[in-house]
Amino acid sequence: MLDDRDHKLLDLLQQNADIGLTELADRVHLSASACSRRIARLKDDGYILRNVAVLDRNRMNVGATVYVMIKTAHHTADWLDRFRTSVMDIPEIVEVHRLAGNLDYIIKMVVTDIAHYDAIYKRLVSRIELFDVSAYISMETLKDGQSIPTGYAR
C-alpha cells in the first residue's frame, strides 16, 4: 500500500529525478536513509520503472511532431509482429498505440521537418502493408508532460 509520502516522492521524482536525496527527504519529511529505503522499495515493487533524461527536442533538431493515423486490412498475429518490429526500428517514432474505434493505430513521430516525415513514411510503408494512412502535423504543443497522476496507485 502506498501512503501520502510515497505519492509525494513519486510526484517529486517525476518532476526531477536528479533531485538530491537530502532535498527529497526534506520535502517529504523523512530522514535521508528512510527516503532512500522508500525509493528502493518503489523501484523493487515496480512503481518506478527507470530514470531517464528528457532532452530538448528543438536542440536535438526534432521539433516537429506528426501524428499518423493508420487503418489496416490485416489483423493477424503475424502482421502485428511485423508492424511492431517495423515501428520499433524507427527512432523517430516515439509512441504507437493500438486503438478501439474506426482507426487501428496512432503513431507519434518527432521529425526535423515535413521532408523528414516523408522519408520516415516511405521507410514504414516499404516494411509493412497499410490500408490507409493520414498524417496530422502539430502546430503548437499546449501541454507536454511525462508525469502521470500518482493518486490512484495503491
Side-chain angles (χ1 to χ4, degrees):
M1 244 1 221
L2 298 183
D3 62 19
D4 289 343
R5 286 186 175 143
D6 292 327
H7 289 280
K8 181 70 174 173
L9 275 171
L10 291 169
D11 285 333
L12 291 167
L13 288 170
Q14 282 190 107
Q15 293 170 26
N16 180 7
D18 285 337
I19 188 171
L21 182 60
T22 303
E23 181 181 349
L24 190 58
D26 287 345
R27 297 200 42 199
V28 295
H29 309 290
L30 289 171
S31 69
S33 60
C35 186
S36 178
R37 284 192 300 274
R38 279 184 184 246
I39 293 169
R41 179 181 49 81
L42 291 167
K43 288 179 180 179
D44 290 344
D45 290 348
Y47 291 99
I48 299 173
L49 299 178
R50 65 187 181 277
N51 297 326
V52 299
V54 178
L55 305 180
D56 183 303
R57 290 185 32 210
N58 290 318
R59 301 263 330 218
M60 301 308 296
N61 197 29
V62 286
T65 303
V66 179
Y67 293 92
V68 182
M69 309 303 181
I70 294 176
K71 287 184 183 182
T72 181
H74 305 281
H75 297 278
T76 65
D78 178 59
W79 184 92
L80 181 57
D81 287 343
R82 286 185 293 116
F83 178 71
R84 183 177 284 121
T85 300
S86 297
V87 297
M88 294 297 278
D89 289 343
I90 300 173
E92 292 87 350
I93 295 176
V94 295
E95 288 185 37
V96 179
H97 300 270
R98 189 167 58 88
L99 305 174
N102 62 346
L103 296 169
D104 294 310
Y105 298 91
I106 184 171
I107 293 174
K108 179 180 178 183
M109 283 187 199
V110 295
V111 294
T112 59
D113 54 28
I114 300 309
H116 187 193
Y117 161 71
D118 190 45
I120 300 302
Y121 166 81
K122 289 174 182 173
R123 194 164 144 200
L124 181 61
V125 298
S126 74
R127 295 175 174 198
I128 190 85
E129 183 182 349
L130 303 172
F131 176 72
D132 186 30
V133 180
S134 300
Y136 298 86
I137 300 162
S138 173
M139 300 299 290
E140 177 184 14
T141 301
L142 302 176
K143 181 178 180 180
D144 183 22
Q146 298 296 314
S147 298
I148 60 172
T150 62
Y152 301 103
R154 301 178 226 262

